[in-house]
Amino acid sequence: AAVLQQRAIGGDGAWPLQLELLLLDDDGGRRTIAIESDAERTTIEALLGEAAPAAIVVNPRDVAYGQFVPDAQSRAFLLQHLPLEQDPLVRASAVAALFEAVREAEQDPLPFAELLLALLANERDPDTHGVLLDMLATCLGRYLGDDRAAPLAAKRTELLLLQLAEQAGSGRELGTFRHLARYGGDARVLDLCRAVATGGAVPEGLDPGKQDRFLAAAALLAAAVADGEFDALRQRSARDDGGKEL
């Protein structure tokens, strides 16, 4: 096994690196080793004469600077096992590495998007939940064609609406609503947007502000189903600049 280094902008040359490598085994074992090198190819001496690990996560504590793209074997293992990873920093570092592999066209975005959905189903941290949603939006909107993206987009909408309905007080409500308003689009999402835009009943824990009401109205307008929501916004915003623009 070896660590390969190349310049992101192309050409020859390498940088001095101090890296941690997290070695994961099929049986759940793990250990961390460190390497130092300024070569384009660095053999991992600690693995000479040993069975190869199931996966290697480079920079698992996110302390080194670089773009760390995992090998094919590591990607396959991580795609299958990351939902069970208990260490949130290792999980986040591995997800970021897989996303880099997608961006470098080394990883099919479809299984990565499926992984993101699995992680979103159990993620409780609002910031991490938002990062996962942003990655998913990029995969579905930019890297997958409509035919491949549509089933996952439907699953995303189901999951997020369920989380809004059943996980009040999670701290994820606004981020979830904003994502749905931008990317959801089905009738239930549009009903939610209508409630937000007009000051109607919304899921417990969702406390939309002025920006969110405008976002909701814009979603309705984009779907060509706006009907009086802008009038309601105009009345609510009559005394500020937003009302004047409306």
Side-chain angles (χ1 to χ4, degrees):
V3 173
L4 307 179
Q5 181 186 171
Q6 64 183 27
R7 289 163 55 91
I9 60 175
D12 298 327
W15 293 93
L17 288 176
Q18 293 181 324
L19 288 177
E20 286 185 340
L21 307 179
L22 176 63
L23 312 180
L24 304 175
D25 296 327
D26 282 315
D27 61 4
R30 61 181 58 196
R31 62 187 172 114
T32 301
I33 62 175
I35 63 169
E36 294 186 27
S37 176
D38 59 1
E40 294 183 6
R41 179 184 176 89
T42 303
T43 299
I44 304 175
E45 301 286 346
L47 293 181
L48 291 177
E50 297 189 4
I56 299 177
V57 179
V58 182
N59 193 33
R61 294 192 299 163
D62 195 27
V63 296
Y65 178 77
Q67 182 186 35
F68 303 107
V69 180
D71 62 274
Q73 178 178 320
S74 295
R75 295 198 303 270
F77 181 89
L78 294 172
L79 286 167
Q80 181 178 356
H81 292 87
L82 268 186
L84 302 177
E85 174 58 51
Q86 297 300 306
D87 187 323
L89 185 53
V90 170
R91 191 168 62 244
S93 297
V95 169
L98 288 170
F99 190 43
E100 292 299 333
V102 171
R103 296 172 65 184
E104 291 297 313
E106 295 189 16
Q107 171 61 52
D108 180 357
L110 181 61
F112 179 64
E114 292 172 335
L115 169 66
L116 293 175
L117 283 171
L119 294 173
L120 281 164
N122 296 303
E123 183 55 60
R124 297 296 179 261
D125 178 70
D127 291 334
T128 304
H129 192 269
V131 170
L132 295 173
L133 282 178
D134 288 344
M135 290 182 180
L136 183 59
T138 299
C139 287
L140 298 186
R142 186 174 301 175
Y143 299 142
L144 288 170
D146 291 344
D147 289 345
R148 301 182 81 203
L152 295 180
K155 291 180 180 178
R156 170 189 60 188
T157 298
E158 292 290 343
L159 172 64
L160 295 182
L161 288 173
L162 182 65
Q163 289 181 336
L164 275 180
E166 297 186 354
Q167 297 175 13
S170 68
R172 305 187 305 268
E173 290 88 356
L174 274 179
T176 297
F177 163 72
R178 290 167 181 169
H179 187 91
L180 284 169
R182 292 186 177 101
Y183 306 109
D186 81 356
R188 293 164 300 169
V189 173
L190 295 175
D191 286 342
L192 175 60
C193 288
R194 188 169 291 108
V196 169
T198 60
V202 297
E204 183 181 353
L206 177 58
D207 185 18
K210 184 187 303 181
Q211 170 189 347
D212 303 300
R213 291 192 289 272
F214 275 85
L215 176 62
L220 295 169
L221 185 63
V225 295
D227 182 20
E229 289 77 21
F230 278 95
D231 288 335
L233 273 179
R234 186 180 295 110
Q235 293 174 7
R236 292 172 64 99
S237 309
R239 296 184 179 182
D240 58 35
D241 292 338
K244 296 175 183 177
E245 293 175 3
L246 285 171

